[in-house]
Amino acid sequence: MGRDPLNLDAPGEWAGLWWLPEAPEYQVPGVLRYEPEGGLALSLIGTFEDRVMTTHAPGVVMIHEGRRAWGVIHGAADQREISLFGCFPNGGKRTFGARVKTPDKQTVVATTGLIGAHVSGEEEAGFSTMEVSVENLGHWAASSVLEGSLGAPDGRLDGSGAISVKPVEVQSVEVDGTDFVLAHRHTLPFFDQLRGGTVGRMRDTAYVQITPRDASSLSDAIGYARLIQDLISLATHRAAGMIWLRLKLAPENSVSTSHGLRVERNVDVLFSPFVIGKHDAKAAAHHRMFFTCEALPFEEIIPRWCDVHARLQSATNMVLGLRYSPARYVENNLLMAVGAAEVLHRGFDIDEPPIPSEDFKAMREAMLAQVPEEYRKRIRGSLRNDPTLRDRLYALAARPDQEALSTLVPDVDRWARRTTRARNDLAHEGRTPNHKLEELVAIVDVTTAVVLLNLLNELGLPAERQREIVRVHPQLRATARSAQDWLSTSEANS
């Protein structure tokens, strides 16, 4: 399998030679450094020409404002090929007429790096397989190659025990020609001899292996990785950081051995995902997860998620955005949560015109006949036969399991009315004078929870599990209490 994948939360350094693909004969020594917070920075002893110049006549060169950027830089460092993408100069030092001539220096920043391959661009289809690991994936998978046992003869612990490795059954599924496999990578037992004692260790890492029918590009791979990242974020109800992403070169790009075999080459990806995962942090508590592969088996959830993610991507992006990067102000979160609800309802394609189309058309023409010609176009644009926001909220509340929904939102009518009023006040007046801050927070939390419950229902989460998470999940329990306090008619009248 080669060396372990490069964790995105660990720094790295590669010293070697670097060149532009269009001028491979001009190579510059330098060191590539990766930092989780700062990304990729290439420190060169020498420079690539970054001035913007044009030749107006022989011997006449004009230097313009601005600086050049490079789509791709190739390198060879620490016995590995490296490709850097989205490169631009970010500092350096040039000297002219110095007493002692020394190499100039240049710093280049890159957005993405491939460690292990030379690729001409992020869209080049050169990879056969991708492997991705995100936070809490192993916990979500509900499987492990590790087993533990404790010695307890006669029902009493005697201090003996064992940790063993037992391969688990491979879980795989095909979706539109793409194979998804839930796989495990584990280490052999090893011991740390410490001054104060001895520690025995084994590590099991769950990851998802994705193999499309056709060769894929780096952009495709990052898209697949985000597909898995979003799934785990939804399942765990928290931002799931990307831990590592590894690609495998397509067979025609692999290395031939003396026996004519093609050796599989691993290529590690260094980039800046929404959240960088911490591979050694504690996993999420079981009662804080919406579902695992025990409730929705891997073979079932992957095809459903691919479908839901494609159909409802805008809504899922908006609601997961509240997990990846929540805004500091409640007004931003209000617009995001309500917008996600509206987009989700449209994505379900369940719109029904409040007035029959033929009746509405006749009514509209009759009204427009009474409007002066110069205002008719404006009035026509404002006469629409679409569901209102309140209609959409009512429709969303009717889709999940009703027992779970009623526990979460005890008064659907008041929630729909107050949410609509808050959004309209903010959108049309720029403020929400009729709502206290606590009520706005409750509206954001309840609306977000209704959207999430709809997504879980669309994924086929059983009604029993929907009821359980509303009762047990700490955040949803708090949301239900907030709804009772601020979005209940009985409380409002008390």
Side-chain angles (χ1 to χ4, degrees):
M1 295 295 293
R3 67 186 74 184
D4 291 335
L6 298 179
N7 292 327
L8 291 174
D9 66 338
E13 183 174 294
W14 298 265
L17 297 174
W18 310 88
W19 63 91
L20 301 178
E22 62 270 20
E25 70 283 353
Y26 178 69
Q27 300 185 355
V28 181
V31 179
L32 174 68
R33 294 182 177 86
Y34 169 77
E35 293 290 342
E37 299 300 326
L40 291 158
L42 176 60
S43 300
L44 297 173
I45 304 175
T47 62
F48 296 126
E49 182 56 70
D50 60 2
R51 293 172 295 180
V52 180
M53 299 182 295
T54 57
T55 302
H56 284 261
V60 180
V61 177
M62 299 288 292
I63 299 177
H64 306 277
E65 293 185 4
R67 305 176 77 180
R68 290 182 57 191
W70 306 281
V72 185
I73 292 177
H74 285 166
D78 295 343
Q79 294 78 53
R80 302 193 76 183
E81 303 93 335
I82 297 179
S83 299
L84 302 176
F85 304 103
C87 307
F88 58 91
N90 189 37
K93 183 178 180 181
R94 290 176 181 247
T95 57
F96 299 95
R99 181 176 60 85
V100 177
K101 185 173 178 57
T102 57
D104 294 331
K105 298 179 184 178
Q106 187 178 53
T107 301
V108 177
V109 174
T111 57
T112 309
L114 290 181
I115 311 298
H118 284 157
V119 179
S120 62
E122 294 177 88
E123 303 302 327
E124 179 183 339
F127 306 101
S128 62
T129 301
M130 54 219 69
E131 298 173 348
V132 58
S133 173
V134 301
E135 291 178 324
N136 294 305
L137 178 59
H139 195 16
W140 170 80
S143 64
S144 176
V145 302
L146 302 180
E147 290 186 348
S149 63
L150 299 175
D154 303 323
R156 300 184 64 181
L157 297 174
D158 64 357
S160 64
I163 297 177
S164 60
V165 173
K166 181 180 180 181
V168 297
E169 183 178 355
V170 174
Q171 301 178 62
S172 63
V173 64
E174 180 182 331
V175 182
D176 296 331
T178 298
D179 292 324
F180 292 81
V181 177
L182 181 58
H184 289 263
R185 174 183 284 110
H186 66 275
T187 63
L188 295 175
F190 64 96
F191 299 92
D192 288 339
Q193 300 290 343
L194 306 178
R195 296 182 181 182
T198 302
V199 178
R201 299 178 186 271
M202 295 179 70
R203 181 186 292 270
D204 173 33
T205 301
Y207 63 97
V208 175
Q209 184 182 80
I210 306 166
T211 306
R213 180 187 293 115
D214 302 316
S216 299
S217 66
L218 172 61
S219 296
D220 296 331
I222 291 177
Y224 278 116
R226 287 172 176 166
L227 175 76
I228 301 301
Q229 184 182 22
D230 287 350
L231 171 60
I232 306 305
S233 295
L234 177 64
T236 59
H237 195 44
R238 61 189 297 171
M242 191 81 66
I243 295 178
W244 53 259
L245 173 61
R246 168 172 276 185
L247 314 180
K248 295 183 184 298
L249 283 176
E252 59 269 20
N253 296 326
S254 299
V255 178
S256 297
T257 67
S258 58
H259 303 289
L261 299 176
R262 293 279 184 177
V263 178
E264 199 173 54
R265 277 175 52 188
N266 293 323
V267 181
D268 294 294
V269 183
L270 296 176
F271 69 116
S272 298
F274 297 131
V275 179
I276 293 178
K278 296 178 173 58
H279 72 283
D280 279 338
K282 289 289 186 181
H286 184 75
H287 67 284
R288 289 184 174 273
M289 300 185 69
F290 284 164
F291 65 90
T292 67
C293 287
E294 287 181 329
L296 288 174
F298 183 82
E299 296 85 350
E300 296 180 14
I301 185 59
I302 291 298
R304 295 177 187 175
W305 175 244
C306 289
D307 172 64
V308 167
H309 194 264
R311 286 191 296 113
L312 308 172
Q313 184 171 9
S314 295
T316 56
N317 286 349
M318 294 173 75
V319 74
L320 290 177
L322 294 172
R323 294 289 165 267
Y324 287 128
S325 182
R328 294 179 179 272
Y329 299 100
V330 68
E331 290 84 0
N332 301 68
N333 291 330
L334 171 65
L335 294 177
M336 186 73 76
V338 176
E342 286 192 289
V343 171
L344 182 65
H345 182 269
R346 293 179 187 274
F348 284 147
D349 196 21
I350 56 176
D351 282 5
E352 293 186 5
I355 304 171
S357 297
E358 290 301 320
D359 294 344
F360 175 76
K361 184 177 180 180
M363 293 168 57
R364 182 179 60 185
E365 295 305 320
M367 286 186 285
L368 290 174
Q370 308 301 316
V371 177
E373 181 65 30
E374 63 268 28
Y375 303 124
R376 194 166 296 170
K377 183 176 180 180
R378 183 178 183 87
I379 298 300
R380 180 186 293 274
S382 64
L383 295 175
R384 303 180 63 183
N385 193 25
D386 295 334
T388 64
L389 171 58
R390 190 184 303 181
D391 294 332
R392 298 183 191 278
L393 296 177
Y394 282 132
L396 290 180
R399 292 179 68 86
D401 176 72
Q402 290 304 287
E403 183 177 330
L405 193 284
S406 62
T407 301
L408 183 66
V409 192
D411 192 337
V412 172
D413 182 68
R414 182 168 177 82
W415 161 68
R417 287 189 291 106
R418 297 299 291 171
T419 299
T420 301
R421 178 71 179 274
R423 195 289 303 268
N424 289 345
D425 284 351
L426 183 59
H428 302 309
E429 299 182 23
R431 58 195 184 97
T432 54
N434 300 295
H435 296 73
K436 293 183 178 180
L437 176 62
E438 294 83 357
E439 186 182 12
L440 291 177
V441 172
I443 287 172
V444 170
D445 291 342
V446 172
T447 305
T448 302
V450 170
V451 171
L452 290 171
L453 206 57
N454 270 272
L455 290 174
L456 297 175
N457 185 71
E458 195 73 6
L459 289 173
L461 192 68
E464 296 78 9
R465 181 56 187 162
Q466 294 183 39
R467 298 167 192 169
E468 183 180 0
I469 62 175
V470 170
R471 293 194 308 267
V472 174
H473 194 280
Q475 191 167 348
L476 293 192
R477 289 174 58 190
T479 298
R481 290 194 299 269
S482 182
Q484 182 65 48
D485 291 342
W486 292 99
L487 299 173
S488 170
T489 301
S490 59
E491 291 297 326
N493 293 333
S494 62

